[in-house]
């Protein structure tokens, strides 16, 4: 601990000499090379003699690929299986047969593993079931304490059908980077990176596009000049991902509002609805031209890239789209057409046209309508959202944030959550109500979560709290959720947490207990002798993480994500805190009260963070130095504790931005 404090002191003194530390450029991102490197397997085999109920693979195996694979999408899985056995020292020209074959199964990706004295049969009705069976076989051998398989039959099928993640290092098509991955020559999907995602159970990735860049419609003669270039890279990306059983889903916020000079609006003014920002117009979906535009927009993309997996669209919430976005607190809409419409009618009118266009070109593609209503809670004004979900058009899946609007007790007081949370299990009452409404009308339901991390500590690639995910997925099963969007721009590193979210939990038996889940997850990567303390450490981490102050201000502006690089000021400078999700803002200031005022008192924040740090440290001590990366998070927690300790002798006003007393960071340094 003393060494850490001295290191931190040295860093802080060095930070005084410059305004802000420089971030490494993309050419220095070593993690990209790591993700693109071949996978490695490290079995913990200590036993050499099989039991009567087991078969031994000591003598070697041979693979018989009997499953019909006309599109050759399983070549990558067979290559992986060969590499696996080579890596663990099992000959691939031995007597024990591993046979893949087709049999009827109840649903997509379901598989059977049948182990007898001389062979293991991997059975499925589709190629992706075979892929899942191959990876399950590898994991079973990693969980064993020797190269042995237990004889008998194992059946697995996913209750979460679509498990969506995103490229870990792909560019962000919004400020500050505002880069389009379809317009550069970078390969954001190296083969071994896709292989890691496939092992984790991810079967879909999303990328951002805009209709104006990719769509072609009869309402306008001209299309984007870069359209063909974008489509060509999109086709290549889709084909490459498909070799690993991964679909590509486009992400949009459409139909987007139109400025006064928008060529589409000038040519067809009937597309314009309620006024936005004085001269712009929301998109009104009720004219013939509107219906044509939306249908042709989707049809043009999905006919040009027929293997596309689908589209995730924020239909309502984050940015202005249809006239529904103009609704006030009482859901009044100032549009000559929409003012007499129910909110669900506006939503359904746009989505129905999009659904027709998509499914005319690609019948199996998925259209997910994301209701991004982070602050909405059950009560007055929530009923229209329920009706929107209930009236989601056939063939469309409705998505809602799993934790938004939730609450829990901290220090005896109810605290409320917006989006997104890993420390809070959920689901919120709002999500439950939306899910129940969707289920009542046979509408598919999707949950938006963060699998690996969240805004809480977004600078740590993943937080090892798989027990939190167990609680989330158990609730999803009960609520009939079949699709999960596991991440936003972050929270998607191939890792134990990613695997828990996309493979272990979706395919887990319905009666699996939390203890059984944690033990199975640990046994894959840890020696049997270490599993009990690893599981106990995960329990302590989850208990610790439950103390994270449940207020969006703390995760969006607090010190947990970037506090290590906050500058120290010998005198208060009265500068605001910077948002943790933006890299184009100035380095954070010293108005620490901004990250909790109005929700927590500073003694409460100090107590919660102290409990979090102390409990987490107990888990770290249990692991006994077996995973050095754990200290990154511990170091962040230490810094938070140091910062917040200064609150005991500082006086903060609310987010009106005045701080009196000694500067927080300076006081933390000297304490």
């Amino acid at each position: 601990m003393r060494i850490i404090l001295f290191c931190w002191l040295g860093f802080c003194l060095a930070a005084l000499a410059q305004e802000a530390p420089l971030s490494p450029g993309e050419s220095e991102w070593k993690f990209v090379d790591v993700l693109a490197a071949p996978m490695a397997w490290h079995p913990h085999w200590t036993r050499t003699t099989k039991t009567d109920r087991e078969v031994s693979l000591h003598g070697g195996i041979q693979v018989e690929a009997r499953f019909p694979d006309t599109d050759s999408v399983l070549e990558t899985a067979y290559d992986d299986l060969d590499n696996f056995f080579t890596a663990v020292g099992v000959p691939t020209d031995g007597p024990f047969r591993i046979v893949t074959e087709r049999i009827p199964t109840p649903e997509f990706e379901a598989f059977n593993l049948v182990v007898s004295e001389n062979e293991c049969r991997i059975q499925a009705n589709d190629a992706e079931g075979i892929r899942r069976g191959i990876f399950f076989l590898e994991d079973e051998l990693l969980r064993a304490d020797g190269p042995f398989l237990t004889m008998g039959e194992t059946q697995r099928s996913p209750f979460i059908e679509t498990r969506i993640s995103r490229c870990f290092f792909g560019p962000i098509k919004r400020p500050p980077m505002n880069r389009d991955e379809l317009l550069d020559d970078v390969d954001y999907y190296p083969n071994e990176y896709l292989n890691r995602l496939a092992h984790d159970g991810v079967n879909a990735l999303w990328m951002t596009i805009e209709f104006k860049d990719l769509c072609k419609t009869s309402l306008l003669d001209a299309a984007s000049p870069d359209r063909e270039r974008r489509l060509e890279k999109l086709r290549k990306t889709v084909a490459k991902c498909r070799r690993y059983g991964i679909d590509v889903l486009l992400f949009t916020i459409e139909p987007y509002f139109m400025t006064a000079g928008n060529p589409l609006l000038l040519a067809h003014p009937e597309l314009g609805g309620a006024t936005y920002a004085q001269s712009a117009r929301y998109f009104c979906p009720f004219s013939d031209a509107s219906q044509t535009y939306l249908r042709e927009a989707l049809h043009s993309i999905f006919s040009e890239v027929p293997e596309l997996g689908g589209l995730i669209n924020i239909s309502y919430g984050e940015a202005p789209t249809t006239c529904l976005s103009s609704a006030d607190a009482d859901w009044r809409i100032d549009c000559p057409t929409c003012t007499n419409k129910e909110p669900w009618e506006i939503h359904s009118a746009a989505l129905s046209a999009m659904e027709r266009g998509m499914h005319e070109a690609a019948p199996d593609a998925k259209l997910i309508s994301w209701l991004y209503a982070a602050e909405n809670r059950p009560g007055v004004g929530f009923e229209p959202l329920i009706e929107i979900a209930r009236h989601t058009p056939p063939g469309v899946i409705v998505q809602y944030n799993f934790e938004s609007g939730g609450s829990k007790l901290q220090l005896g007081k109810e605290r409320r959550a917006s989006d997104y949370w890993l420390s809070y299990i959920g689901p919120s009452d709002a999500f439950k109500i939306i899910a129940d409404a969707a289920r009542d009308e046979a509408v598919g339901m999707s949950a938006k979560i963060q699998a690996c991390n969240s805004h809480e500590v977004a600078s740590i690639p993943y937080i090892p709290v798989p027990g939190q995910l167990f609680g989330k997925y158990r609730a999803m099963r009960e609520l009939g959720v079949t699709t999960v969007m596991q991440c936003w721009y972050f929270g998607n590193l191939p890792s134990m947490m990613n695997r828990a979210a996309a493979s272990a939990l979706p395919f887990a038996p319905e009666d699996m207990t939390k203890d059984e889940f944690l033990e199975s997850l640990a046994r894959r990567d840890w020696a049997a002798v270490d599993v009990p303390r690893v599981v106990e450490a995960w329990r302590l981490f989850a208990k610790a993480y439950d103390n994270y102050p449940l207020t969006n201000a703390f995760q969006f502006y607090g010190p947990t994500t970037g506090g290590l690089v906050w500058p120290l000021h010998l005198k208060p400078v009265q500068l605001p805190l910077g948002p943790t999700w933006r890299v184009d803002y100035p380095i954070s200031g010293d108005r620490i009260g901004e990250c909790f005022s109005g929700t927590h008192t500073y003694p409460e924040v100090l107590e919660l963070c102290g409990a979090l740090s102390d409990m987490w440290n107990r888990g770290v001590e249990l692991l006994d130095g077996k995973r050095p990366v754990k200290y990154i998070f511990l170091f962040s927690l230490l810094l938070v504790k140091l910062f917040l300790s200064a609150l005991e002798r500082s006086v903060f006003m609310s987010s009106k931005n005045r701080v009196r007393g000694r500067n927080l960071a300076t006081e933390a340094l000297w304490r």
Side-chain angles (χ1 to χ4, degrees):
M1 185 64 72
R2 184 174 300 176
I3 293 175
I4 293 177
L5 287 172
F6 276 120
C7 289
W8 183 67
L9 173 60
F11 176 85
C12 292
L13 292 176
L16 292 173
Q18 61 181 40
E19 291 188 3
L22 297 176
S23 297
E26 292 183 30
S27 62
E28 301 176 65
W29 288 358
K30 303 300 182 185
F31 64 81
V32 176
D33 296 332
V34 173
L35 290 173
M39 288 188 63
W41 293 272
H42 304 285
H44 300 278
W45 292 347
T46 57
R47 186 161 55 93
T48 57
T49 305
K50 73 178 186 68
T51 67
D52 292 340
R53 299 178 58 249
E54 294 177 325
V55 294
S56 173
L57 276 57
H58 268 125
I61 60 95
Q62 56 178 293
V63 176
E64 296 183 14
R66 296 184 183 177
F67 184 89
D69 183 24
T70 55
D71 294 334
S72 300
V73 294
L74 286 176
E75 288 181 357
T76 56
Y78 290 129
D79 288 345
D80 181 87
L81 188 61
D82 185 74
N83 292 335
F84 171 82
F85 281 117
T86 299
V88 301
V90 173
T92 55
D93 57 355
F96 188 82
R97 299 189 309 152
I98 297 176
V99 182
T100 63
E101 60 184 357
R102 168 170 276 168
I103 67 164
T105 54
E107 52 203 344
F108 183 71
E109 284 189 307
F111 66 88
N112 296 345
L113 205 70
V114 183
V115 180
S116 59
E117 188 173 349
N118 298 311
E119 65 182 16
C120 170
R121 292 185 173 269
I122 303 174
Q123 305 170 330
N125 193 42
D126 52 81
E128 295 317 307
I130 296 294
R131 189 187 310 275
R132 299 264 62 87
I134 287 173
F135 294 161
F136 181 81
L137 170 63
E138 294 176 2
D139 286 349
E140 283 291 274
L141 286 167
L142 291 174
R143 280 188 281 264
D145 56 0
F148 310 120
L149 291 173
T150 301
M151 288 189 284
E153 181 173 353
T154 302
Q155 298 179 342
R156 291 287 186 271
S157 59
F159 80 92
I160 300 294
E161 301 166 4
T162 309
R163 305 171 299 275
I164 309 166
S165 188
R166 184 185 182 276
C167 179
F168 184 70
F169 57 95
I172 298 174
K173 198 176 188 298
R174 60 170 59 194
M177 298 175 71
N178 207 28
R179 277 175 43 198
D180 187 342
E181 69 174 272
L182 296 178
L183 284 182
D184 62 31
D185 297 323
V186 179
D187 180 7
Y188 297 103
Y189 307 92
N191 287 330
E192 284 302 322
Y193 171 57
L194 292 174
N195 193 33
R196 292 172 193 274
L197 290 175
H199 270 272
D200 280 359
V202 170
N203 64 4
L205 294 171
W206 65 269
M207 68 166 67
T208 305
I209 64 110
E210 296 176 82
F211 280 4
K212 65 181 179 63
D213 295 332
L214 281 183
C215 294
K216 193 173 183 180
T217 171
S218 62
L219 273 64
L220 276 181
D221 293 333
S224 168
D226 292 314
R227 179 175 185 265
E228 289 304 321
R229 180 181 172 188
R230 287 186 172 96
L231 286 172
E232 183 58 28
K233 187 172 184 183
L234 180 57
R235 292 187 195 101
K236 291 179 179 178
T237 301
V238 168
K240 188 174 186 181
C241 291
R242 189 166 175 262
R243 294 180 64 242
Y244 292 88
I246 298 173
D247 286 332
V248 172
L249 276 68
L250 304 177
F251 168 76
T252 56
I253 305 178
E254 297 284 359
Y256 210 56
F257 79 96
M258 297 166 286
T259 59
N262 187 300
L264 189 62
L265 183 61
L266 292 175
H268 296 276
E270 65 269 33
L271 270 61
T275 301
Y276 174 68
Q278 296 183 333
S279 61
R281 304 286 292 280
Y282 293 95
F283 189 99
C284 184
F286 288 103
S287 68
D288 290 341
S290 299
Q291 292 287 296
T292 297
Y293 171 76
L294 292 174
R295 182 181 59 79
E296 291 183 349
L298 268 293
H299 190 274
S300 66
I301 298 175
F302 282 84
S303 59
E304 295 271 12
V305 192
E307 299 296 340
L308 263 177
L311 180 81
I312 304 168
N313 187 62
I314 295 186
S315 308
Y316 168 76
E318 183 174 89
T321 53
T322 65
C323 290
L324 183 61
S325 298
S326 71
D328 61 17
D330 296 317
W331 293 89
R332 291 187 297 252
I333 297 169
D334 187 18
C335 165
T337 301
C338 297
T339 189
N340 296 316
K341 304 288 187 181
E342 294 293 331
W344 69 262
E345 293 181 283
I346 304 171
H347 180 261
S348 181
L351 275 180
S352 295
M354 294 168 69
E355 184 274 331
R356 286 196 302 274
M358 170 189 283
H359 287 143
E360 285 170 4
D364 295 329
K366 295 177 173 63
L367 179 54
I368 300 173
S369 174
W370 187 356
L371 303 179
Y372 186 83
E375 301 298 331
N376 288 69
R377 295 187 176 92
V380 178
F382 191 73
E383 185 64 30
L385 277 177
I386 303 173
E387 291 302 311
I388 288 172
R390 186 173 285 128
H391 289 88
T392 298
V396 181
I397 298 166
V398 65
Q399 178 168 288
Y400 202 79
N401 292 355
F402 194 73
E403 302 92 12
S404 290
S407 65
K408 70 176 180 181
L409 289 178
Q410 281 188 330
L411 303 179
K413 298 179 183 178
E414 185 180 48
R415 319 288 181 169
R416 293 200 171 273
S418 186
D419 62 334
Y420 306 110
W421 294 90
L422 186 55
S423 62
Y424 165 60
I425 293 177
S428 66
D429 287 342
F431 183 88
K432 292 178 188 176
I433 292 171
I434 294 294
D436 286 341
R439 183 166 50 187
D440 289 346
E441 301 299 326
V443 173
M445 187 69 202
S446 176
K448 169 64 189 70
I449 67 167
Q450 289 293 126
C452 297
N453 67 9
S454 189
H455 283 292
E456 297 152 326
V457 193
S459 52
I460 304 301
Y462 70 93
I463 309 299
V465 286
Q468 303 294 95
L469 291 177
F470 180 87
K472 292 178 185 290
Y473 278 73
R474 180 172 56 185
M476 288 182 206
R477 189 190 290 267
E478 293 171 354
L479 291 168
V481 173
T482 58
T483 299
V484 176
M485 185 176 179
Q486 294 182 187
C487 67
W488 186 230
Y489 289 119
F490 50 92
N492 45 19
L493 178 72
S495 61
M496 173 270 292
M497 289 293 285
N498 211 43
R499 186 168 63 254
S503 178
L505 287 166
F507 284 85
E510 188 170 359
D511 60 353
M512 177 177 274
T513 66
K514 184 176 180 179
D515 288 345
E516 291 170 339
F517 159 69
L518 293 175
E519 181 180 345
S520 175
L521 193 67
R523 278 172 46 215
R524 180 190 181 276
D525 298 323
W526 299 78
V529 67
D530 293 321
V531 166
R533 64 178 172 183
V534 170
V535 170
E536 181 59 24
W538 286 345
R539 291 193 185 101
L540 289 170
F541 292 158
K543 189 174 181 180
Y545 211 41
D546 188 56
N547 289 289
Y548 192 100
L550 192 67
T551 169
N552 268 40
F554 196 81
Q555 64 168 336
F556 285 173
Y557 297 94
T560 50
T561 290
L564 286 168
V565 294
W566 284 11
L568 297 175
H569 302 283
L570 296 178
K571 294 182 180 179
V573 293
Q574 310 294 344
L575 291 176
L577 304 182
T580 59
W581 70 95
R582 294 289 294 267
V583 297
D584 58 337
Y585 273 66
I587 205 75
S588 210
D590 58 352
R591 296 172 182 159
I592 191 67
E594 290 180 348
C595 72
F596 56 80
S597 293
T599 61
H600 294 68
T601 65
Y602 65 78
E604 289 174 338
V605 174
L606 182 61
E607 183 176 347
L608 288 169
C609 287
L612 196 167
S613 181
D614 292 342
M615 185 69 69
W616 194 279
N617 194 37
R618 286 175 53 191
V620 169
E621 290 170 354
L622 262 182
L623 292 180
D624 196 28
K626 291 187 177 295
R627 287 290 186 272
V629 71
K630 65 185 179 291
Y631 287 110
I632 299 174
F633 187 47
L634 177 61
F635 191 49
S636 296
L637 293 175
L638 170 65
L639 181 64
V640 173
K641 196 171 180 182
L642 286 169
F643 267 110
L644 294 172
S645 293
L647 297 177
E648 292 178 306
R649 294 207 303 269
S650 299
V651 180
F652 296 92
M653 297 179 69
S654 67
S655 56
K656 289 296 183 179
N657 309 329
R658 290 292 177 184
V659 181
R660 297 198 302 271
R662 281 182 287 176
N663 170 263
L664 169 68
T666 304
E667 184 166 343
L669 172 64
W670 294 115
R671 284 171 64 87

